[in-house]
């Protein structure tokens, strides 16, 4: 399974050379009467400590659940702590930014089972 490690929540994929190309693509789709959904990842974040949110303040719990609850063992990701007001503000501001800056019409949320269940929706034998 191909997974992507999100390190910057405010940057388009590298498949678009510059952000204006993505904006142009969305504008063209709208001209054709198409809605554009963004595959947004608000269920997890990369473990990368160099350019991700992990250890941003020197701890593993500024944005994520601490210890094993904040770690998705199968995908090697950190899991957000939705009980934190600052996490909710961050994620909501991120969603709003994509709507306003790029004019996406809606979102498809990736990894929803990890947002809802501590077992991540995986069957364990």
């Amino acid at each position: 399974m191909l997974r992507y490690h999100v390190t910057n929540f405010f940057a388009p994929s590298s498949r678009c050379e510059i952000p204006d190309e993505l904006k142009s693509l969305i504008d063209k789709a709208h001209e054709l009467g198409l809605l554009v959904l963004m595959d947004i990842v608000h269920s997890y974040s990369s473990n990368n400590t160099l350019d991700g949110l992990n250890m941003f303040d020197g701890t593993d719990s500024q944005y994520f659940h601490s210890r094993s609850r904040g770690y998705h063992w199968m995908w090697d990701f950190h899991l957000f702590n939705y009980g934190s007001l600052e996490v909710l503000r961050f994620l909501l501001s991120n969603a709003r930014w994509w709507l306003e800056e790029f004019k996406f019409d809606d979102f498809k949320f990736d990894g929803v089972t990890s947002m809802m269940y501590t077992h991540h929706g995986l069957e364990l034998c």
Side-chain angles (χ1 to χ4, degrees):
M1 173 183 274
L2 175 66
R3 302 305 305 165
Y4 36 94
H5 289 249
V6 179
T7 56
N8 189 331
F9 288 81
F10 292 88
S13 167
S14 60
R15 291 179 182 96
C16 298
E17 290 186 24
I18 57 175
D20 287 340
E21 289 179 352
L22 179 57
K23 291 177 182 181
S24 177
L25 175 70
I26 293 169
D27 288 343
K28 291 288 184 192
H30 287 157
E31 289 173 13
L32 295 170
L34 300 172
L35 296 176
V36 182
L37 305 180
M38 178 183 182
D39 185 13
I40 196 165
V41 181
H42 280 175
S43 54
Y44 54 81
S45 182
S46 172
N47 283 329
N48 191 337
T49 58
L50 297 177
D51 57 4
L53 293 174
N54 184 25
M55 303 294 285
F56 191 72
D57 70 343
T59 72
D60 69 347
S61 60
Q62 180 179 10
Y63 293 100
F64 312 106
H65 291 288
S66 60
R67 299 180 295 284
S68 64
R69 183 171 180 202
Y71 181 71
H72 193 301
W73 58 272
M74 186 176 219
W75 295 341
D76 192 30
F77 293 129
H78 276 295
L79 301 168
F80 284 106
N81 176 1
Y82 303 111
S84 164
L85 185 57
E86 292 307 316
V87 168
L88 295 178
R89 285 181 179 159
F90 172 75
L91 295 174
L92 288 171
S93 71
N94 178 246
R96 182 177 178 176
W97 183 80
W98 287 106
L99 293 172
E100 292 178 354
E101 184 67 24
F102 288 86
K103 309 297 185 227
F104 279 97
D105 296 297
D106 210 339
F107 301 107
K108 177 252 178 207
F109 286 89
D110 186 70
V112 172
T113 54
S114 286
M115 297 169 91
M116 297 172 56
Y117 307 113
T118 56
H119 57 71
H120 314 299
L122 300 172
E123 293 289 327
L124 300 176
C125 297

